Amino acid sequence: MTSAASKPRQISEQIAFFFRERGPQDFSQLEHWFSILEEGESIGDPAPYPLPDELPQSSIEWLCACMRLIRICFQAALVPAFHTPQIAKCELVDEESRNWRITFTVPHLEDLSTETVQLAFDTSNRILAWLVRTQPDDQNRTILFNTIQQLFLDPTRTKFGMSPSPHLILQKAYELGIPFRHLGRGSTLLGWGAKARMVYASSTENDSGIGLRLSTSKLLTADILRSAGLPAGEHVIVRDVAQAEAAIEKLGWPVVVKPDDGDRGEGISLDIRDEAGLTKAFQLAQSHSASKTVMVERVVSGICHRLFVLEGRLLFAIRREPTSLCGDGRSSVEELVAEAVRKERMRPPWKRMYIDPSDDMSQQSIAAAGFGQDDIVADGAMLPLRPIESTAWGGTFIDVMDSIHPENQRIALEAARLFGLSVAGVDLITPDISRPWHENGAIFNEINASPSFGMHHISEPLVLGYLLSYLGGTGRIPVEVFVGGDAAWLAAQQRWEGMLADGLAAMLTSARDTIEPWGARRYMAFNDLYRRVTALTRSRSVEAIVMVVQSDEFLHAGLPLEWIDRLEIVDQQLSSFLNPEAPLAADGFASLEHLLQWWVCPQAGEPSAQVTA
């Protein structure tokens, strides 16, 4: 009886490419290059497949390095393929040219085409050929970054890449051991069976479609809030500069100008105090508005706080400060900016800050905060690079969960309920979050459906809390596997009946038969175990799965799930998947057994996984 340690995994599929054998290479510099590109990221579980002895070691090392580069390319393009591709099978197709057919397992994503994977493979081979003969200095680092950008990122991001916030959610799901399936169009299924839940970015299946629609308009949002007795800003909706100028007669200077239907903080201008600034701000806001409507709003003193509501409770509360540099008590403003620019340029472009610390807006923000270029910034003092925090610009988040006044928490929950939102980012502008809103003139700035988590380091624990709270755990149901002929079906049936007796709505399935908890057959449009198991994980009525493996199908189709909880090999009476009339040969059974034992992977707090021989 053995057990395996839990590791992040992702459902995979097999794709074959042709590869010409490589001679001995100098790989001594590769780890330095990978440390630049990966920055300490986890690169996934080892391959479950044994490699053929006839493939030279130099070629194996080349292919493994190529697989790491493929994962780096995917991550740079914000493709949610977190598992490093693995070598599943190698076949020599031409003795003279030493040309091989290499079959890889790659993360399975519905929108990830074979052409994109092929492009990643070709790009990685080209880059690797350059890396093994190139010193990792600053100039070559820039060449590498630009090459990845041109060869892979530019042609891929428009086809598949996600925005950073939903990509971060799926990355944390992967690290937590939460299975997910990317359904397409930004939607994802987290978990299996009765524990599965859908998300769209951070929105959940419990969010009101009407509320999602209403919250996209700042005008309608403010009207709905006011009608419910909640604080909202004073504003006027305008469609041209003349109307904007007329709005000032009602609101007075200064004002905030922003698109009525924009998001991410794009197109906003703050503290506008004259007509020239108003004209420029109107044009900017209108360029970011699909409806070409602009909101002119009275300025309210205070700082924006994000109150993140999930399922009727406050998950976290943060004060949203602009992206800033932190003083050390020794360096001047000019020196801090120069060092920040240097560090950012050493990083891959896809991992850099949203903004350039040396650009015009950064310099204007620094000056507006009262800093001169030669000023020494006190240790711990913040040097703002933007006037406000926003999704587009990033920011610095400060946890205020322990200081938020109960009345401010109440109105945040009430605002989310008004729009029928299960998940909402409620933005409250207040000079002091510890005081109730009605004492200091605080207002709601926005109600954000599908709020972004941002990319600050504080986001990571917030995403973990969001996922575990929404799913109530890892979203996995018990899955047990029995291997063999008729005796395996009988053993699986006994285990299934035991699960039913324990109150679980368990399904029993082989490649040809799927049995409901009440004993009826569930008909499906296919007769293979891979697709039947996949279908069961998407059925909300399924609380457990007992499957019977009676052929070597998974050696050809791949595994339908990331993990199983228990494996019992009853006998070796299996048939060949490709030739169902023939018994499975001993070497084929050995390969299948190796794969299935790797499949068992317990998770802390989940049903204990055991392998019984």
Side-chain angles (χ1 to χ4, degrees):
M1 191 174 292
T2 61
S3 64
S6 177
K7 294 183 180 180
R9 290 183 183 171
Q10 197 167 354
I11 198 70
S12 298
E13 61 180 314
Q14 295 188 352
I15 299 178
F17 301 117
F18 289 102
F19 169 78
R20 179 164 292 181
E21 192 173 294
R22 295 297 197 278
Q25 303 284 333
D26 180 7
F27 293 111
S28 59
Q29 299 176 144
L30 275 188
E31 281 306 318
H32 188 104
W33 280 116
F34 279 126
S35 68
I36 293 170
L37 293 169
E38 292 173 340
E39 294 189 334
E41 292 179 353
S42 169
I43 59 171
D45 212 356
Y49 303 97
L51 298 177
D53 295 334
E54 60 268 27
L55 187 64
Q57 183 62 31
S58 59
S59 291
I60 292 175
E61 290 182 31
W62 182 281
L63 287 169
C64 289
C66 188
M67 297 302 97
R68 287 177 71 175
L69 283 170
I70 288 176
R71 179 187 178 276
I72 288 167
C73 287
F74 284 155
Q75 291 303 289
L78 295 180
V79 174
F82 305 108
H83 203 288
T84 302
Q86 308 290 350
I87 304 169
K89 186 165 53 175
C90 306
E91 301 169 281
L92 185 62
V93 296
D94 190 307
E95 178 70 37
E96 182 176 353
S97 66
R98 302 301 294 176
N99 206 27
W100 292 75
R101 187 175 187 268
I102 310 293
T103 302
F104 299 113
T105 60
V106 299
H108 173 74
L109 300 166
E110 281 72 3
D111 291 350
L112 187 61
S113 67
T114 302
E115 290 75 19
T116 300
V117 180
Q118 177 73 64
L119 178 62
F121 180 69
D122 293 342
T123 299
S124 298
N125 265 301
R126 290 181 60 179
I127 291 172
L128 188 56
W130 183 80
L131 292 180
V132 296
R133 64 176 191 271
T134 305
Q135 292 292 327
D137 57 31
D138 289 350
Q139 181 179 353
N140 289 331
R141 184 193 305 251
T142 300
I143 293 173
L144 172 61
F145 296 159
N146 291 339
T147 302
I148 293 174
Q149 182 75 42
Q150 293 167 10
L151 294 182
F152 188 76
L153 300 191
D154 289 343
T156 301
R157 275 180 169 164
T158 55
K159 295 179 181 178
F160 192 98
M162 311 177 78
S163 60
S165 184
H167 185 268
L168 178 64
I169 292 172
L170 295 187
Q171 179 185 343
K172 294 307 168 187
Y174 168 78
E175 293 173 2
L176 282 171
I178 297 172
F180 69 85
R181 302 289 184 274
H182 186 252
L183 302 175
R185 297 192 176 183
S187 299
T188 302
L189 184 70
L190 300 171
W192 299 331
K195 293 186 178 181
R197 300 291 183 270
M198 288 191 295
V199 296
Y200 177 81
S202 65
S203 290
T204 77
E205 59 192 50
N206 299 325
D207 283 308
S208 162
I210 299 172
L212 289 169
R213 187 177 182 87
L214 288 172
S215 64
T216 61
S217 168
K218 295 178 176 62
L219 172 64
L220 292 176
T221 296
D223 289 345
I224 291 170
L225 290 170
R226 270 194 297 269
S227 69
L230 298 176
E234 294 183 60
H235 56 256
V236 176
I237 296 296
V238 300
R239 293 184 176 275
D240 55 42
V241 174
Q243 291 180 356
E245 292 173 346
I248 301 301
E249 296 181 10
K250 174 183 177 182
L251 301 173
W253 302 101
V255 293
V256 176
V257 181
K258 52 190 174 184
D260 174 49
D261 53 356
D263 57 14
R264 291 171 43 87
E266 295 177 336
I268 294 179
S269 299
L270 305 173
D271 200 31
I272 304 302
R273 295 177 175 272
D274 55 42
E275 293 183 357
L278 182 64
T279 299
K280 184 177 178 180
F282 173 85
Q283 293 169 347
L284 175 65
Q286 193 174 57
S287 70
H288 285 84
S289 171
S291 63
K292 300 303 179 184
T293 54
V294 172
M295 176 180 285
V296 181
E297 189 171 74
R298 186 193 303 275
V299 168
V300 176
S301 63
I303 298 174
C304 186
H305 294 70
R306 166 62 56 87
L307 312 181
F308 194 106
V309 176
L310 173 64
E311 304 284 355
R313 68 185 185 87
L314 188 63
L315 185 63
F316 63 82
I318 53 177
R319 187 167 74 244
R320 305 173 67 179
E321 300 281 2
T323 295
S324 305
L325 302 180
C326 186
D328 58 12
R330 303 183 306 276
S331 304
S332 68
V333 168
E334 185 176 17
E335 290 168 337
L336 285 174
V337 169
E339 178 62 11
V341 170
R342 186 193 68 80
K343 286 183 177 180
E344 286 302 301
R345 288 177 180 170
M346 296 288 283
R347 305 184 71 203
W350 50 92
K351 294 186 177 183
R352 291 176 186 167
M353 294 172 62
Y354 282 32
I355 58 180
D356 180 354
S358 64
D359 67 13
D360 290 343
M361 187 174 289
S362 293
Q363 295 304 305
Q364 292 167 7
S365 299
I366 290 170
F371 290 97
Q373 290 297 303
D374 296 327
D375 291 346
I376 302 298
V377 184
D379 187 22
M382 305 307 289
L383 196 66
L385 302 179
R386 285 295 184 267
I388 60 170
E389 184 277 344
S390 73
T391 302
W393 292 333
T396 300
F397 304 150
I398 299 172
D399 186 358
V400 295
M401 193 69 171
D402 292 338
S403 59
I404 183 172
H405 192 278
E407 174 62 10
N408 295 334
Q409 179 172 332
R410 181 194 71 80
I411 63 169
L413 300 181
E414 179 64 21
R417 281 193 293 267
L418 271 176
F419 290 85
L421 296 178
S422 169
V423 178
V426 180
D427 288 348
L428 183 69
I429 297 178
T430 176
D432 186 353
I433 195 70
S434 68
R435 305 303 304 162
W437 62 273
H438 52 80
E439 287 186 3
N440 58 18
I443 64 163
F444 282 129
N445 183 46
E446 289 183 325
I447 308 297
N448 296 274
S450 193
S452 168
F453 282 98
M455 297 304 290
H456 194 270
H457 65 84
I458 199 173
S459 298
E460 296 193 11
L462 303 181
V463 176
L464 300 182
Y466 160 81
L467 288 169
L468 294 174
S469 295
Y470 177 43
L471 294 175
T474 62
R476 286 155 54 182
I477 61 174
V479 179
E480 300 189 10
V481 175
F482 292 77
V483 181
D486 293 340
W489 175 267
L490 293 175
Q493 188 173 17
Q494 287 184 333
R495 178 64 184 130
W496 170 66
E497 290 170 350
M499 286 184 171
L500 297 178
D502 290 337
L504 286 175
M507 302 290 292
L508 173 64
T509 188
S510 67
R512 294 187 174 275
D513 290 297
T514 300
I515 309 302
E516 301 274 9
W518 52 90
R521 176 177 292 178
R522 177 178 288 196
Y523 292 95
M524 294 192 185
F526 28 73
N527 287 321
D528 61 81
L529 190 55
Y530 185 102
R531 288 187 291 178
R532 282 180 178 260
V533 170
T534 300
L536 293 178
T537 63
R538 299 193 177 189
S539 174
R540 298 298 180 90
S541 63
V542 177
E543 297 178 348
I545 298 173
V546 180
M547 75 175 84
V548 185
V549 174
Q550 297 182 304
S551 79
D552 62 340
E553 174 188 336
F554 292 155
L555 288 178
H556 302 277
L559 297 170
L561 303 175
E562 293 85 345
W563 308 270
I564 57 173
D565 297 300
R566 180 170 173 263
L567 170 66
E568 183 170 335
I569 299 174
V570 179
D571 58 45
Q572 299 185 21
Q573 306 302 308
L574 277 69
S575 63
S576 168
F577 179 67
L578 299 180
N579 184 10
E581 302 301 320
L584 182 63
D587 59 345
F589 182 84
S591 296
L592 177 64
E593 182 180 17
H594 178 85
L595 176 63
L596 294 178
Q597 290 198 12
W598 173 86
W599 202 11
V600 180
C601 193
Q603 177 82 12
E606 299 291 329
S608 177
Q610 298 177 338
V611 176
T612 304

